[in-house]
Amino acid sequence: MNDETPSAPPAPKPPAKASGKPGHKPGGKPPAKRRSPSKSPRRRAREFALQGLYQWLLAGEDAGVIDALMREQEGFDKADSAHYDALLHGCIADAATLDAALARHVDRRTSQLSPIEHGVLLIGAYELKNCIEVPYRVAINEAVELAKEFGGTDGHKYVNGVLDKAAADLRPVEVQAARGGAPR
């Protein structure tokens, strides 16, 4: 026999700390992920334009064929079709000029970027250059959101950095006013 006395049962674990998130009970499961508010028609237009640009960048498909395919996609009726048209057709028609505007701020040729990041940068640069009614910060933020949703793990950081620098070239007065300085 063993001279040791039986050990006491293990002490109960202290209660788990609350995560600080509403609806999260200590020791319980985290709350179910909330559904994000419905997407705006412009956000949907950007998403469809990105999908079309992705196809154009990979396959070199004709813009008219891509446009027809995108319009058949589920949910297209909820997109701002005028903004979609401007983005898809404008980015394709103006790709060389947009790539030139981005070239100073990317670390490699745009043709070597992932097609998602390239497409997002084209959309962001197009909006900065041609959609003056969209504040530059909104154009950058929308591009970053596209990169988060469709791009690689840290692609959104790259997109943010490139477009922030490109904005200073494409909208110098607006950017400098927002940053509290005189335009260059």
Side-chain angles (χ1 to χ4, degrees):
M1 265 193 132
N2 196 344
D3 287 354
E4 292 181 26
T5 57
S7 62
K13 291 183 182 179
K17 291 183 180 178
S19 71
K21 295 180 183 174
H24 188 204
K25 297 176 186 166
K29 291 183 179 180
K33 193 169 187 175
R34 290 186 184 160
R35 287 182 46 135
S36 60
S38 64
K39 296 177 182 176
S40 73
R42 283 232 165 160
R43 167 83 46 98
R44 291 176 190 274
R46 290 179 184 100
E47 290 177 354
F48 284 112
L50 177 59
Q51 291 173 42
L53 285 172
Y54 180 83
Q55 189 170 348
W56 179 74
L57 288 166
L58 281 183
E61 193 88 43
D62 177 68
V65 172
I66 292 170
D67 185 30
L69 288 170
M70 289 299 108
R71 290 178 184 281
E72 293 173 3
Q73 298 299 310
E74 181 179 341
F76 186 85
D77 59 322
K78 296 177 184 173
D80 178 341
S81 62
H83 196 60
Y84 160 81
D85 286 337
L87 292 176
L88 179 68
H89 297 287
C91 287
I92 291 173
D94 213 12
T97 305
L98 297 172
D99 278 344
L102 294 168
R104 290 187 44 207
H105 310 293
V106 293
D107 57 355
R108 56 191 162 251
R109 291 191 325 255
T110 54
S111 61
Q112 294 177 333
L113 295 171
S114 102
I116 292 294
E117 276 76 21
H118 190 187
V120 170
L121 287 170
L122 286 172
I123 289 172
Y126 181 86
E127 284 193 314
L128 288 170
K129 183 175 181 237
N130 299 296
C131 302
I132 302 304
E133 75 283 1
V134 177
Y136 88 93
R137 288 183 176 159
V138 172
I140 293 171
N141 185 59
E142 288 295 326
V144 167
E145 291 303 316
L146 282 174
K148 283 181 181 178
E149 187 170 348
F150 296 100
T153 303
D154 286 333
H156 66 282
K157 295 176 185 177
Y158 186 76
V159 164
N160 186 48
V162 170
L163 290 178
D164 188 56
K165 292 172 187 168
D169 292 343
L170 296 169
R171 294 203 195 168
V173 173
E174 183 182 357
V175 171
Q176 287 302 318
R179 294 179 183 169
R184 349 182 215 170

